[in-house]
Amino acid sequence: MSFQGRDLLSLADLSQTELTDLIDLSARLKAGKLTPQCPNQVLGLIFNKASTRTRVSFSVAMYQLSGQVIDLNANMTQIGRGEPTADTARVLDRYVDVLAIRTYAQSEIEEFAQHAEIPVINALTDLEHPCQILADLLTVQEAFGTCAGLTLTYLGDGNNVAHSLMLGCALIGINIRVATPAGYEPSPAVVERARELSRDRSEVTITRDPQAAAQGAQALYTDVWASMGQEDSAENRIPIFQPFQINSSILGLADPEAIVLHCLPAHRGEEITEAVMEGRQSRIWDQAENRMHAQKALLAAVLGAV
């Protein structure tokens, strides 16, 4: 792959071929058909937001590549005492081989990438969550054998997951429908970028009608209604978002073989019901496992091991 030394700050950084290659590499790694190694390579984790799946999946992926992981917790480094991002980036560039950063502002991770020569990976910002969508697309491909021509419907808040889903689906040829309450739509700039990337491969639809969005879809996807940092508004959001819950009624509008996805953690009984989450059409646990395989593929690619 021609991805060695590259950053991944946004899925829009990838071409269609590069995204497809990463998904295919993830599948091959999961099947045990390849065993790339990155001995003596070190992954640094800078996580300014709480994490379970992202932290553990990145760590396990790097260990399985025979590399090492160092947790650069802000409370235990000068990052937490206000050292400029540019200074931190220039120093870490000389210590570690790749950085995965989970933080708030997209501008912060862009500044890290500007001042570090090593690959910088967006492990989540308020704007995007590209690594999650790599796993999501792998899960869709496993379920249907292909991604091209399918329709994926996202119901809920037009947040970072919705943004990266639009970009990833547009690139790979999945029709993406994003249904949100009024005032909670995704960023118009990201919608425009997704439509530019889609060309003739797929359609990007933004709507306020969850029933119309779910009609005939091969995948239904949701996320929490209040993301990290929005906890104060969580209770107020519940009645606004209730019509966008993934439940048996909404699922009944989708394709009979539709799959259900959630990036986790889930608030059962809010954005998704217990019955649907634990039902036969749920692929949520496969999706969570695939975080590790997709990130292993990404790490191996940026470190030149494949």
Side-chain angles (χ1 to χ4, degrees):
M1 296 181 69
S2 60
F3 210 66
Q4 184 174 359
R6 294 260 302 275
D7 300 323
L8 181 63
L9 309 185
S10 165
L11 283 183
D13 295 341
L14 302 177
S15 68
Q16 179 194 20
T17 299
E18 288 169 338
L19 178 56
T20 300
D21 286 349
L22 277 174
I23 300 305
D24 290 344
L25 177 58
S26 304
R28 293 167 69 194
L29 291 174
K30 184 175 181 178
K33 295 180 179 179
L34 284 176
T35 55
Q37 299 290 288
C38 301
N40 302 316
Q41 304 285 289
V42 180
L43 164 66
L45 299 180
I46 299 178
F47 280 27
N48 297 330
K49 285 189 172 186
S51 171
T52 299
R53 279 151 295 279
T54 304
R55 181 186 299 277
V56 176
S57 58
F58 260 114
S59 298
V60 173
M62 193 62 181
Y63 288 136
Q64 290 186 358
L65 290 169
S66 300
Q68 303 293 318
V69 180
I70 182 167
D71 189 348
L72 299 162
N73 187 308
N75 294 326
M76 300 174 63
T77 66
Q78 298 296 339
I79 298 171
R81 297 184 61 214
E83 183 174 39
T85 297
D87 293 358
T88 301
R90 283 192 288 246
V91 170
L92 294 179
D93 186 59
R94 301 183 181 216
Y95 290 159
V96 302
D97 300 284
V98 57
L99 278 172
I101 301 175
R102 183 178 174 93
T103 191
Y104 293 89
Q106 182 78 9
S107 59
E108 184 178 352
I109 197 168
E110 290 171 351
E111 188 175 1
F112 259 99
Q114 179 183 350
H115 293 283
E117 295 297 322
I118 59 172
V120 174
I121 296 171
N122 181 350
L124 179 142
T125 64
D126 288 345
L127 183 66
E128 277 208 53
H129 199 355
C131 292
Q132 174 66 55
I133 275 58
L134 293 178
D136 299 341
L137 296 177
L138 173 59
T139 308
V140 171
Q141 181 170 288
E142 287 176 338
F144 297 101
T146 184
C147 289
L150 300 175
T151 296
L152 184 150
T153 293
Y154 173 91
L155 303 174
D157 188 26
N159 60 14
N160 49 6
V161 172
H163 290 160
S164 289
L165 268 176
M166 286 191 297
L167 296 171
C169 288
L171 274 172
I172 211 163
I174 295 176
N175 299 309
I176 173 74
R177 303 171 185 165
V178 176
T180 73
Y184 296 90
E185 296 88 351
S187 160
V190 178
V191 174
E192 181 179 359
R193 182 64 177 133
R195 287 175 172 157
E196 290 171 354
L197 292 172
S198 68
R199 299 180 182 175
D200 296 326
R201 288 188 293 265
S202 58
E203 296 180 354
V204 179
T205 302
I206 310 301
T207 180
R208 297 174 183 173
D209 187 337
Q211 285 78 22
Q215 192 71 46
Q218 282 78 40
L220 297 184
Y221 193 124
T222 192
D223 189 9
V224 294
W225 291 337
S227 299
M228 283 179 283
Q230 298 174 334
E231 289 82 2
D232 290 347
S233 66
E235 287 298 318
N236 293 333
R237 286 176 176 234
I238 290 175
I240 298 171
F241 280 86
Q242 189 61 44
F244 296 82
Q245 181 188 71
I246 295 186
N247 50 41
S248 58
S249 296
I250 284 283
L251 184 55
L253 298 173
D255 186 288
E257 298 305 316
I259 63 172
V260 175
L261 302 173
H262 192 308
C263 53
L264 301 177
H267 294 168
R268 298 170 188 238
E270 291 185 14
E271 72 275 4
I272 189 168
T273 62
E274 178 88 13
V276 170
M277 190 165 179
E278 298 295 346
R280 70 170 185 85
Q281 291 168 271
S282 172
R283 295 294 182 275
I284 293 170
W285 314 115
D286 295 333
Q287 180 187 7
E289 177 190 341
N290 284 341
R291 291 295 304 279
M292 180 180 66
H293 304 299
Q295 285 155 197
K296 188 192 296 186
L298 178 59
L299 289 168
V302 301
L303 292 172
V306 290

